[in-house]
Amino acid sequence: MEVKVVLFNHNFQELSNRQFIRSKGIYAWLGAFLGYFFDYYEVALISIIVVSVANLYHESHLMASLGPALLLLFIAVGGVTMGHFADKLGRKNIMYISILIYALAALLRAATFDYVYFLVLTAIGGFGLGAEFGVGQSLVTEVVPRKSRGFWSGAFYGSGGFGILLAGAVGIYLLPVVGFRWVFVFSGLISFLAFSVMKLTPESSIWKNEKDLVKKERVTVSIWNPKIFGALILMLILATIQFFMYYLVNSSLPIYLVSKGLTIVSASWFIFLIGGGVTTGSFLGAYLSDIIG
């Protein structure tokens, strides 16, 4: 397999932060920010709400754990599949599709009539969310100013912390009052708000230039080059270990705590605190990355 690398200048990356904020590029960052927000919101929310759904249909805690497991599996499937199409159809178009899939799946789960129906729609929603993982990061990397790419990329990941915070707040304050069906309605409706931002979001100039390019200087790089392939495998291993540790705690903690006698509200507080830590770490790390490397 070979990868074609196109060499040309991207003047938009030389913008200052102030110019970037005033330009349409900030909407691309914000659109990706909101997409990633819903990714982590959904994972944290399902880890909380699956207990209520499983109890309603008299399922065991083992069956309850299938909810977060299927969600994460199809996030991975969606990320790989839709990441491929993002190179063909554009970053913005795929993000539109991802938000639509998740929003519809969330709304349809409000009509859950058995546990299998819930699991199927959770998997479909996960597929939509997975499309945003890599695509959103690609869009952010391609539009933000080069000199402050560390900050904007790190702050983009901070949206995941906000998503976890909202999921924890929903578990604490909303779920006990309205029940899980109206929580899914709420989740689906607020995800549609991202469409208003996406309308203002420009497509990646790098992607458009690549598509519009007739012929410019190209360098052919083999993906099987030992250094490139080795770096890819190493990053894959490190990312797998990192996400294993994170999701082992984040997606399993509410189910475990409830099985030990805590209420869903009490378990939701732990998710809320995790969200606070993720948010703080993301923004602090983002700020320091452009200063100390």
Side-chain angles (χ1 to χ4, degrees):
M1 181 183 293
E2 292 182 334
V3 179
K4 297 293 186 178
V5 180
V6 183
L7 304 178
F8 52 89
N9 293 323
H10 309 296
N11 293 328
F12 67 93
Q13 289 187 327
E14 303 304 326
L15 294 175
S16 67
N17 283 330
R18 182 174 297 180
Q19 291 171 324
F20 172 69
I21 292 173
R22 292 177 178 176
S23 70
K24 286 187 176 180
I26 189 63
Y27 293 110
W29 180 86
L30 184 58
F33 182 94
L34 290 174
Y36 210 70
F37 170 90
F38 286 113
D39 288 349
Y40 276 80
Y41 167 78
E42 172 73 1
V43 172
L45 180 67
I46 288 300
S47 69
I48 295 170
I49 215 169
V50 71
V51 178
S52 296
V53 180
N55 287 341
L56 176 64
Y57 297 109
H58 309 290
E59 300 288 352
S60 65
H61 289 296
L62 179 61
M63 286 296 293
S65 66
L66 279 179
L70 273 178
L71 177 66
L72 293 172
L73 173 62
F74 278 86
I75 282 177
V77 174
V80 174
T81 303
M82 301 304 279
H84 169 73
F85 286 107
D87 289 329
K88 299 180 179 297
L89 304 177
R91 318 311 193 200
K92 180 177 178 179
N93 290 331
I94 294 301
M95 288 178 66
Y96 262 125
I97 294 172
S98 71
I99 294 172
L100 179 62
I101 292 174
Y102 167 68
L104 291 177
L107 288 173
L108 289 173
R109 274 181 298 182
T112 292
F113 58 87
D114 67 25
Y115 195 62
V116 174
Y117 173 92
F118 167 77
L119 290 178
V120 169
L121 285 174
T122 296
I124 293 173
F127 183 89
L129 291 174
E132 211 289 319
F133 258 64
V135 177
Q137 178 61 79
S138 297
L139 182 61
V140 168
T141 302
E142 292 170 355
V143 302
V144 300
R146 182 160 43 195
K147 292 182 179 179
S148 54
R149 185 178 293 164
F151 170 77
W152 289 108
S153 297
F156 158 73
Y157 280 106
S159 62
F162 286 120
I164 299 170
L165 283 169
L166 178 60
V170 167
I172 295 168
Y173 299 108
L174 189 61
L175 180 61
V177 177
V178 302
F180 74 85
R181 298 184 189 277
W182 282 106
V183 168
F184 283 133
V185 172
F186 168 76
S187 301
L189 292 179
I190 62 171
S191 63
F192 276 115
L193 295 176
F195 279 98
S196 61
V197 176
M198 291 304 299
K199 289 181 180 179
L200 301 172
T201 298
E203 182 55 88
S204 163
S205 295
I206 290 181
W207 182 82
K208 289 198 300 184
N209 286 342
E210 167 70 12
K211 289 299 176 183
D212 296 339
L213 203 60
V214 180
K215 265 194 178 181
K216 286 205 171 188
E217 182 181 1
R218 291 174 180 264
V219 178
T220 302
V221 181
S222 173
I223 197 171
W224 300 117
N225 179 293
K227 290 184 178 180
I228 296 177
F229 188 72
L232 178 64
I233 295 299
L234 179 59
M235 288 187 291
L236 179 62
I237 293 173
L238 291 175
T240 300
I241 294 173
Q242 177 191 3
F243 281 109
F244 169 76
M245 292 186 293
Y246 171 76
Y247 285 114
L248 177 65
V249 175
N250 194 54
S251 62
S252 304
L253 187 60
I255 299 173
Y256 172 77
L257 292 176
V258 171
S259 71
K260 294 301 181 180
L262 270 70
T263 65
I264 295 178
V265 172
S266 298
S268 297
W269 275 108
F270 285 88
I271 297 299
F272 187 84
L273 292 174
I274 290 173
V278 171
T279 304
T280 304
S282 295
F283 280 92
L284 180 60
Y287 173 73
L288 293 177
S289 66
D290 287 325
I291 298 176
I292 63 176

